[in-house]
């Protein structure tokens, strides 16, 4: 199936016209009412239900994603986001009264969530449905229009997304633009009121530069090498099970997958053995035959990942099959910390293991590198976990588990430094796509002469007292 809109050739004028049509539509004010926003959220949910099986089939075709992972990490995840927005939208939209200093009396202050306008949402290929549609939920809830750019690498999912969105919305409100890098470049030449990008750090820099030309605010959901520390005092089998699940979800193609393990030397051998047992328990003695283990997105990424296998000693796994784009779940002992597998985000089912002496050494190791999107630490000591919380910087932290912090919509998800700017999920998505506009309203009943020129010493003295009392 070939996407119909800008899929085989760049049509810069058509993209520009689409953005202009959305800007005109937004200017009518129709997208701002509670009724309209809820109606469109329901329309999105209904379209998803209608297309759900086709979405799952496309995810299998692109990534060989199992039905469980397709629902749990893609469509089911978005259903929860929609339901939370529907349940809370009226409350989120209300003006929020705040305090007003005494020298403003009589007056009142409030913060009004205000939609930005036309939003551009650009998604990657690893969770090609969720990472496009979950931000869209926030954009709709906040009252914006949206131009959506799926990843061309997940071709089947992109095609279904285009058809699904067209079935639910007019293009002047929400539209999908499919195509490759030239289409992305044409999209970024236009002015938007907000840009939401999920992808790699290098492309994120390019998006940021394009946004800067128009001073467009951005959210950048990037990646990085998310570390995982394992202390000597943990339940080894349970910890191994949780690490294996988080690392091998989507065949390791997850931005917050544990990228490498820093393992206390006293538990290293036990943990490696437990990791191997848990991989076998999850995917069998031949993971290639497992219906639950996915495939690498394309040949280029397969070759990139295969090269990492030369950067250390394979302790478990290591088998590859280019014809199927299959790389076995692999445990890799690494001693050369400058090897490519330790410099670049892996984004695959290869888990480097590095021995450390204690938590202090692990923290020093982490802090010597760019700030990651996620940080994991397994320890039976609250003091040790507090050390990681207080002395490291990362987009998010999850203790004694992996990935699960992203599944709590009460927690904003996002990066810091090289791993991103801004956050979303739940209410945070609504606020990401809203300008929190401050409004001050002054009464006409009283107008003290104090602030008007000409000034005098008595006025200054009174002003100082009023400002002090306002603290």
């Amino acid at each position: 199936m070939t996407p119909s809109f800008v899929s085989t050739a760049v049509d810069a004028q058509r993209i520009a016209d689409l953005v202009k049509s959305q800007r005109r539509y937004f200017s009518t004010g129709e997208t701002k009412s509670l009724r309209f926003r809820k109606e469109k959220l329901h329309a999105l949910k209904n379209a998803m239900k209608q297309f759900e099986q086709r979405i799952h089939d496309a995810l299998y075709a692109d990534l060989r994603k199992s039905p469980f992972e397709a629902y749990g990490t893609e469509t089911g995840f978005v259903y929860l986001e929609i339901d939370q927005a529907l349940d809370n939208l009226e409350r989120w939209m209300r003006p929020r009264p705040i305090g007003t200093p005494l020298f403003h009396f009589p007056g009142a202050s409030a913060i009004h969530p205000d939609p930005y306008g036309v939003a551009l949402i650009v998604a990657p290929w690893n969770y090609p449905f969720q990472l496009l549609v979950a931000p869209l939920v926030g954009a709709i809830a906040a009252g914006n229009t949206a131009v959506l750019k799926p990843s061309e690498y997940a071709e089947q999912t992109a095609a279904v997304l285009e058809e699904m969105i067209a079935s639910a919305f007019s293009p002047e409100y929400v539209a999908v633009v499919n195509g490759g890098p030239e289409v992305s470049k044409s999209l970024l030449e236009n002015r938007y009121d907000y840009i939401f990008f999920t992808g790699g750090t290098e492309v994120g820099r390019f998006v940021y530069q394009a946004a800067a030309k128009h001073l467009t605010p951005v959210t950048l959901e990037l990646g990085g090498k998310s570390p995982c520390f394992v202390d000597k005092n943990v339940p080894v089998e349970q910890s191994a099970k949780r690490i294996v699940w988080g690392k091998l979800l989507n065949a390791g193609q997850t931005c917050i997958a544990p990228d490498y393990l820093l393992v206390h030397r006293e538990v290293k051998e036990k943990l490696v053995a437990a990791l191997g047992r848990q991989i076998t328990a999850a995917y069998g003695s031949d993971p290639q035959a497992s219906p639950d283990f996915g495939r690498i997105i394309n040949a280029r990424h397969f070759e990139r990942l295969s090269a990492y296998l030369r950067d250390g000693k394979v302790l478990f796994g290591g088998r590859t099959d280019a014809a199927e784009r299959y790389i076995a779940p692999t445990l890799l002992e690494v001693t050369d910390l400058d090897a490519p597998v330790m410099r670049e985000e892996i984004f695959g089912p290869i888990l480097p293991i590095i021995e450390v002496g204690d938590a202090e050494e692990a923290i020093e190791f982490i802090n010597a590198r760019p700030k990651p999107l996620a940080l994991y630490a397994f320890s039976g000591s609250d003091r040790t976990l507090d050390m990681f919380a207080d002395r490291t910087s990362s987009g998010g932290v999850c203790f004694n588990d992996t990935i699960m912090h992203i599944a709590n919509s009460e927690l904003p998800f996002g990066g810091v430094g090289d791993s991103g700017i801004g956050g979303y999920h739940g209410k945070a998505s609504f606020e990401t796509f809203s300008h929190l506009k401050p409004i001050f309203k002054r009464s006409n009943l009283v107008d003290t002469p104090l602030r008007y020129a000409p000034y005098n010493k008595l006025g200054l003295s009174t002003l100082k007292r009023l400002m002090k009392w306002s603290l």
Side-chain angles (χ1 to χ4, degrees):
M1 183 182 300
T2 303
S4 61
F5 185 78
V6 200
S7 57
T8 57
V10 177
D11 188 343
Q13 186 58 53
R14 198 171 178 188
I15 291 173
D17 290 344
L18 172 64
V19 175
K20 289 176 183 176
S21 72
Q22 290 207 358
R23 194 169 302 285
R24 285 193 300 268
Y25 184 61
F26 177 77
S27 69
T28 68
E30 187 170 351
T31 67
K32 294 186 177 183
S33 72
L34 173 64
R35 176 201 57 77
F36 180 91
R37 300 184 202 193
K38 295 185 81 167
E39 176 187 297
K40 298 308 178 183
L41 288 170
H42 279 295
L44 177 60
K45 185 175 181 180
N46 291 337
M48 284 179 57
K49 288 185 178 296
Q50 179 185 347
F51 280 78
E52 184 176 298
Q53 188 57 54
R54 291 182 57 191
I55 295 164
H56 291 180
D57 291 345
L59 291 166
Y60 186 87
D62 287 329
L63 290 153
R64 225 187 90 159
K65 197 166 286 198
S66 70
F68 185 92
E69 286 193 12
Y71 187 85
T73 66
E74 302 263 13
T75 52
F77 189 100
V78 176
Y79 285 137
L80 289 176
E81 288 283 306
I82 294 172
D83 288 343
Q84 185 178 29
L86 287 168
D87 290 344
N88 295 281
L89 186 54
E90 184 173 6
R91 177 169 56 85
W92 293 346
M93 287 176 61
R94 289 178 193 145
R96 307 167 193 180
I98 59 171
T100 302
L102 181 62
F103 57 83
H104 286 339
F105 178 84
S109 304
I111 292 173
H112 290 235
D114 201 31
Y116 279 105
V118 180
L120 172 65
I121 301 173
V122 182
W125 50 263
N126 58 326
Y127 292 90
F129 184 86
Q130 183 230 121
L131 293 178
L132 188 76
V133 184
L136 174 62
V137 174
I140 291 173
N144 301 274
T145 67
V147 177
L148 310 179
K149 172 60 176 71
S151 170
E152 67 275 16
Y153 288 169
E155 182 180 358
Q156 298 300 316
T157 307
V160 174
L161 275 163
E162 182 175 0
E163 189 175 347
M164 185 194 83
I165 292 298
S167 75
F169 307 117
S170 65
E172 65 182 359
Y173 177 53
V174 181
V176 169
V177 177
N178 270 313
E182 290 302 314
V183 169
S184 297
K185 183 179 178 182
S186 289
L187 279 166
L188 289 168
E189 288 171 355
N190 291 271
R191 180 176 69 85
Y192 303 91
D193 300 295
Y194 203 90
I195 296 177
F196 189 107
F197 170 81
T198 306
T201 300
E202 289 307 312
V203 180
R205 289 191 176 99
F206 175 78
V207 172
Y208 205 7
Q209 290 168 359
K213 293 178 183 177
H214 302 289
L215 297 179
T216 302
V218 299
T219 291
L220 301 178
E221 297 294 341
L222 308 178
K225 297 184 72 63
S226 296
C228 180
F229 169 70
V230 182
D231 208 349
K232 64 182 178 180
N233 54 8
V234 299
V236 172
E237 291 293 337
Q238 177 180 278
S239 300
K241 181 185 291 187
R242 294 174 179 178
I243 291 167
V244 163
W245 177 79
K247 177 61 181 180
L248 299 181
L249 192 70
N250 200 29
Q253 298 166 118
T254 301
C255 59
I256 55 169
D259 195 90
Y260 61 92
L261 294 187
L262 299 170
V263 185
H264 196 292
R265 64 170 57 98
E266 291 185 25
V267 77
K268 178 190 167 188
E269 289 187 12
K270 289 181 181 179
L271 182 68
V272 169
L275 290 168
R277 286 192 295 271
Q278 292 300 333
I279 292 171
T280 301
Y283 303 106
S285 58
D286 180 13
Q288 188 170 6
S290 170
D292 299 319
F293 189 72
R295 295 296 184 267
I296 307 307
I297 184 67
N298 58 29
R300 182 171 70 85
H301 281 283
F302 173 86
E303 294 299 330
R304 176 184 62 83
L305 289 165
S306 297
Y308 290 151
L309 298 175
R310 301 191 291 268
D311 290 344
K313 178 183 176 183
V314 174
L315 303 177
F316 185 95
R319 194 165 69 84
T320 66
D321 183 342
E324 276 204 25
R325 305 192 314 275
Y326 166 77
I327 295 180
T330 300
L331 306 177
L332 192 71
E333 185 172 35
V334 175
T335 54
D336 180 4
L337 301 183
D338 291 323
V341 76
M342 288 305 300
R343 293 198 313 267
E344 302 160 4
E345 184 178 10
I346 295 172
F347 231 64
I350 300 168
L351 185 59
I353 297 173
I354 301 157
E355 183 180 296
V356 294
D358 54 22
E360 290 278 356
E361 185 179 342
I363 289 172
E364 183 178 343
F365 187 96
I366 293 165
N367 287 341
R369 286 155 178 79
K371 296 177 181 181
L373 185 55
L375 181 146
Y376 304 104
F378 288 74
S379 179
S381 165
D382 287 341
R383 179 178 174 277
T384 297
L385 298 179
D386 288 344
M387 285 171 53
F388 279 91
D390 294 341
R391 293 171 52 189
T392 64
S393 179
S394 60
V397 177
C398 185
F399 289 145
N400 295 324
D401 207 341
T402 61
I403 306 292
M404 292 304 292
H405 61 296
I406 198 175
N408 180 358
S409 61
E410 299 298 322
L411 293 173
F413 173 75
V416 61
D418 281 12
S419 60
I421 298 170
Y424 72 122
H425 290 170
K427 185 180 181 182
S429 290
F430 172 84
E431 294 196 339
T432 285
F433 286 97
S434 299
H435 168 55
L436 300 182
K437 183 167 63 179
I439 294 180
F440 173 66
K441 182 179 180 181
R442 189 68 179 267
S443 170
N444 289 323
L445 297 177
V446 177
D447 192 20
T448 59
L450 173 66
R451 66 182 171 125
Y452 300 109
Y455 305 119
N456 55 54
K457 291 182 178 180
L458 176 61
L460 177 59
S461 175
T462 304
L463 176 63
K464 288 180 178 180
R465 287 196 298 271
L466 286 173
M467 294 183 74
K468 183 178 180 179
W469 293 339
S470 295
L471 295 176

